[in-house]
Each structure stands twice: as C-alpha cells, then as structure tokens.
Amino acid sequence: MSVMERVYIETFGCQMNVADTERAATGLRAEGYELTDSEQSADVVILNTCSIRARAEQKVFQRIGEIRHRRRTNQPLIGVMGCVAQLEGESIFDQAPSVKLVVGTRATDRLPSLIKRVRNGETRALDLGERKGSEAWEVSASERHSKHVAFVPIIEGCNKFCTYCIVPYSRGRERSRPPSEILEEVARLRAEGFREVHLVGQNVNSYRPRTESGLESFEGATPFSRLLRALASTGFPRIKFTTSFPRDFHKDIVKALEEHENLCDWVHLPVQSGSDRVLKSMRRGYKVSDYLARVDALKGARRRIALTSDIIVGFPSETESEFEETMRLVEACRFDGLYIFKYSERPGTPAAQLPDSVSEAEKTSRFLALEQLQMSIQREIYAGYVGREVSVLVEGESARSKRDLTGHTTCNKVINFEGGQELLGEIVRVRVNEAKAHSLYGELCV
Ligand code: 5AD
Ligand code: SF4
C-alpha cells in the first residue's frame, strides 16, 4: 500500500461491540491501516451494529443513507460488522447496494483481509465464519475506548435462548476465554496504567472455560468466582463485571465480593419481569422467588452492594395485573438503576410466533409508570449518598462545566466534582453534597 488507508469505525450497542471495535482497530493498525475519528476523511467506513431491538437495527440503514449522502462526490468503502451483519448476511448487499463488506460477529480479526479483497477487485466480501483457534483477543492500549477503564471480554455468545432475544443467533454459542489469557491481559492492563477493568460478557457468571489452568490456587463454587478471586488477588485497583444471569448467580459471588475490596460493590442482574407466568413464557429459567433470594443474598452482604437491572414491558400477552407484579417487584428490590425496554419483536425468535398483543400505547403507559416508580426510588437511594465519602476514578472533564471532572464511584454511579486535569486517571475520595436523578455531585476530600 503506498498511502495509508484511513478507517473510521462507528460503534452501536453494548460493551461487547465496543470491545470488538477495539480488537478490530488493533488488527487493522497492525496491517498498516490508519484509524481515524473523522467519517468525512475516511477511505473506509465500518458500522459495528446492534440488533437487540428493531430500532437499533433500523439505525444502520439510516446511517448508510446519511454517509452516502454526505460523501456524494467521494464515496468511502462501506462495511457492516457486528450483529446486523451476522443476522442479515448477504441480504445487506440487496438492502443497501453501497455496502461492500459484511463482517460477522466472529470475523473481526479478518477485517483487514476482507478490505484487501475488495481493494483487489472483488465487488463484495462477506465473512460469517467462526473465530479461528489461533486468534487471541489482542487489544493495544491506544485503541481502548478509555485510558483508565478497560473492557475485558471473558465469555462471548449466549446459550440461554430467552424467547424474545436475538443474541444467541447473532453471537452464537457461549465460548469462554481461557483464564490464563484473561489474567495475562489484566496484568498487561495494570502495567499500561489502567485503573479499572470491566469483565464483559452476555452472561459473565456462566463462565465455563475448557481448562481452569491459571485458577489452581483459587477457591470458588464456580469457575467465575474462582476467576474473580484470581483477578482480585492481583491487586488490580478496581474490578467490575457485567452482565450477570440470575439463574447462575451463585451466592459464592457475593462471598468473593465481601472478601475483596477491589471487587467493586455493584451487580447488574436483569430480572426482565415480576410475573412468574411471563418469566416462564420468556424462558428465563427462574421464578420471582428465586430472583428475590439472589437479591436477599446481595442485600445481606457485609458491605452495601449497588444493584441494577433490566425490565421488558409489554411482552406478548402481558396483562395489566402481570405488569402490576413487575411494579411490586421493583418496589421490593429498590434498584440503584433500571433500564426499561418496550418489547420489540425480533424475527426468528420464539416470541415472534406469539401475537405482539400489547398495543404500543399500552407499552408506553407501562414504560412511563415503571419509570416514574423507579425515579422515586432512585431519588431516595441517591439522596442517601449525600454527606458520605465515595471512592471515584477520575475519567474525564465534565461535559457540563470545564471546571468539573467526572468519574464513576465503585458502585458505578456517575459523580462530578470540581478539580484540575492533574487528577485524571487518579482514584480520589469525594464527599457527596448533592444528589441528582442519575448522578451525584461532590467535593474532593483533602
Ligand atoms: N425487546 C425488548 N428488549 C429486549 N432486550 C433484549 N431483547 C429484547 C427485545 N426483543 C433487553 C433485555 C436485555 C437488554 C440488554 O435488552 O432487557 O437484558
Ligand atoms: Fe438474550 Fe437471554 Fe442470552 Fe441475555 S441471557 S443475551 S436476554 S438470550
């Protein structure tokens, strides 16, 4: 290549996609490509896509239209990677003829060679294949989304097949990374100056590697809690993990959190519904009482553990009284944060066979009622932090005010406070003096 080609990657969706983008960027750079933040000047534009709900999927085609419009005189090579690529495959070329590359969720490492194929004259290139055994998860520090927080995938894919969910189809079966590889990556991150790692996976606590070598000296009821103890014992400053699956949420995880201060006091445990009938129809594999038992274990921990969750409203045939059960569950759990979603039919999933019987207006009204309830609970929880000191990783300047810095507490709340640039990347103590709906405000402790 005489002149370096510039590649722009735009990422949609979850942390796994962010991690895939970082990995793809690392591979592209190694093959002599330049990565750019400017869509305008890029020779190659890659959209790393999400298909969790219909709207996320529609956004891709909208973005392709925009890019084509803006770059009328100087069309870039457009590629689609990620979940939409995996699910739609060839048909993307028909739906959006300007797309020349379709790169599935396990083909990230082969992106450079796919680009080359098109540059060498192929009209289109498509790869929906599996990851190769020889491909390790390599990400260089400069490609990470933050200088201070690193995402470390420990498990890819999902075997749960909840009836509404497209993920098992877009990301395939569960594959766990070997513990030794994860431990090496985390050791490298520490040497590179990262202060926090987020272990990421569709279901981190379903972690089940082929070999447990690397974990020999660590106790635990499951490979996941052994991994947590192994990582905690490296002394890495802050370790968080997401997402946890309720059925596999063993109480030994709570024990590990109690034992190690650097395993952060936050758990994301999506419940989806407060009705046993709906949970069964979703095929979640647990009842409300099982979920509440997990919550009790978390609430009974020696230090307070912040709990967040996801809920879907308007699942097919969800009745008003079943929705009321969800409201009661939310009252009982007192989540620190809640992501609420209106059910979105995903073609090919079992729930798509059920009539999408709850009207859009009803979904909206359930969404708003639940949001209002959650806000009243969240206000109380956030107000409870006023007057307390929290440990904060300083991640950047606040978007609101140049004088303020922003970061996250160990319990994963956003907090802003006045301070200078020299604190970036530091872990500091902050006294909370104001609570907002979704964030805290405080002052640096001296
Ligand atoms: N419709 C609405 N929400 C969904 N989620 C997953 N699939 C769907 C769907 N088809 C939500 C779940 C999950 C979160 C990541 O997205 O709540 O936990
Ligand atoms: Fe989807 Fe269920 Fe797997 Fe989560 S556990 S990714 S909701 S199928």
Side-chain angles (χ1 to χ4, degrees):
M1 222 184 301
S2 49
V3 191
M4 266 201 205
E5 280 211 277
R6 275 171 306 208
V7 185
Y8 167 74
I9 310 181
E10 188 165 303
T11 312
F12 301 87
C14 66
Q15 290 152 328
M16 197 53 91
N17 268 10
V18 174
D20 277 337
T21 292
E22 295 172 346
R23 174 177 180 156
T26 303
L28 285 164
R29 190 96 64 182
E31 291 292 320
Y33 291 87
E34 190 183 318
L35 275 294
T36 168
D37 292 332
S38 148
E39 172 205 320
Q40 278 304 323
S41 67
D43 306 301
V44 181
V45 173
I46 306 284
L47 303 175
N48 190 4
T49 59
C50 170
S51 59
I52 193 84
R53 283 170 290 276
R55 205 139 52 107
E57 187 153 348
Q58 285 149 11
K59 213 173 337 175
V60 181
F61 294 100
Q62 203 181 309
R63 280 295 288 133
I64 293 168
E66 276 168 23
I67 294 161
R68 277 184 55 74
H69 182 71
R70 270 197 232 150
R71 299 278 305 266
R72 250 170 323 211
T73 53
N74 172 22
Q75 289 285 311
L77 168 60
I78 301 179
V80 175
M81 70 182 262
C83 292
V84 178
Q86 189 71 40
L87 292 165
E88 303 282 324
E90 286 271 352
S91 84
I92 293 182
F93 296 133
D94 305 327
Q95 292 178 69
S98 55
V99 172
K100 300 282 179 268
L101 283 173
V102 170
V103 186
T105 50
R106 279 87 89 196
T108 352
D109 291 343
R110 300 185 290 273
L111 186 53
S113 65
L114 290 162
I115 296 176
K116 262 183 221 129
R117 274 167 50 188
V118 175
R119 290 305 188 207
N120 290 338
E122 276 183 51
T123 44
R124 290 158 168 186
L126 168 119
D127 187 338
L128 305 179
E130 293 301 320
R131 292 219 196 272
K132 303 242 159 63
S134 56
E135 294 169 344
W137 206 293
E138 297 237 10
V139 175
S140 61
S142 55
E143 311 302 344
R144 303 234 177 222
H145 75 285
S146 153
K147 278 189 196 155
H148 317 296
V149 180
F151 291 156
V152 175
I154 65 166
I155 177 169
E156 290 188 85
C158 185
N159 290 352
K160 307 296 187 281
F161 289 94
C162 302
T163 55
Y164 52 80
C165 188
I166 200 72
V167 169
Y169 310 91
S170 62
R171 292 227 161 238
R173 296 299 72 71
E174 285 173 3
R175 290 148 310 207
S176 296
R177 283 175 72 194
S180 52
E181 193 183 302
I182 297 167
L183 285 158
E184 269 165 40
E185 180 171 350
V186 170
R188 197 168 347 111
L189 288 167
R190 189 148 187 224
E192 288 165 348
F194 285 87
R195 311 307 299 271
E196 182 173 305
V197 297
H198 270 220
L199 308 177
V200 301
Q202 233 50 251
N203 295 295
V204 283
N205 55 327
S206 307
Y207 180 68
R208 200 149 287 113
R210 285 224 182 92
T211 142
E212 294 190 21
S213 98
L215 301 180
E216 293 84 352
S217 28
F218 301 95
E219 302 275 308
T222 62
F224 181 61
S225 51
R226 293 180 76 190
L227 180 69
L228 284 181
R229 288 190 176 91
L231 290 168
S233 74
T234 65
F236 202 95
R238 313 203 330 172
I239 300 162
K240 295 179 180 174
F241 53 88
T242 185
T243 295
S244 297
F245 186 65
R247 198 194 55 207
D248 299 343
F249 197 84
H250 199 288
K251 54 182 182 298
D252 190 37
I253 299 171
V254 181
K255 207 161 157 252
L257 264 56
E258 287 182 324
E259 289 161 15
H260 298 277
E261 177 88 33
N262 57 346
L263 296 177
C264 288
D265 47 347
W266 165 57
V267 168
H268 183 60
L269 198 63
V271 60
Q272 313 299 0
S273 168
S275 148
D276 280 340
R277 210 253 339 143
V278 173
L279 287 173
K280 190 160 184 207
S281 180
M282 289 177 163
R283 225 185 279 147
R284 290 288 288 176
Y286 56 84
K287 294 192 167 150
V288 171
S289 57
D290 303 318
Y291 185 83
L292 292 175
R294 309 286 189 275
V295 172
D296 279 346
L298 282 160
K299 303 245 168 185
R302 274 204 296 275
R303 63 183 160 138
R304 181 180 185 276
I305 297 172
L307 178 64
T308 57
S309 196
D310 295 346
I311 281 180
I312 297 175
V313 296
F315 185 77
S317 82
E318 180 191 64
T319 65
E320 186 60 37
S321 81
E322 286 164 343
F323 170 67
E324 288 298 327
E325 292 183 71
T326 298
M327 295 280 279
R328 285 201 289 279
L329 175 120
V330 168
E331 271 167 8
C333 293
R334 295 186 61 81
F335 297 117
D336 290 70
L338 185 63
Y339 297 94
I340 307 166
F341 305 102
K342 293 184 205 172
Y343 170 71
S344 167
E345 185 178 299
R346 306 286 51 227
T349 60
Q353 303 296 316
L354 307 168
D356 189 354
S357 55
V358 184
S359 71
E360 187 55 33
E362 190 54 46
K363 282 181 191 166
T364 301
S365 103
R366 290 178 193 177
F367 179 98
L368 293 173
L370 190 54
E371 186 179 51
Q372 198 178 6
L373 170 63
Q374 174 59 25
M375 282 321 301
S376 68
I377 294 166
Q378 208 169 306
R379 245 192 306 272
E380 287 172 15
I381 294 178
Y382 274 54
Y385 279 85
V386 174
R388 282 170 45 190
E389 263 183 37
V390 289
S391 162
V392 179
L393 171 58
V394 187
E395 288 158 63
E397 272 182 14
S398 157
R400 287 266 181 80
S401 152
K402 272 236 168 287
R403 282 166 48 201
D404 285 350
L405 298 171
T406 186
H408 284 84
T409 62
T410 52
C411 61
N412 213 41
K413 291 182 175 59
V414 172
I415 182 160
N416 299 305
F417 61 97
E418 204 178 308
Q421 299 268 338
E422 72 283 358
L423 293 176
L424 288 177
E426 297 292 316
I427 292 174
V428 297
R429 305 286 301 173
V430 175
R431 185 183 314 283
V432 181
N433 45 31
E434 195 186 333
K436 308 198 171 163
H438 297 282
S439 67
L440 301 170
Y441 194 85
E443 64 189 58
L444 200 60
C445 297
V446 280

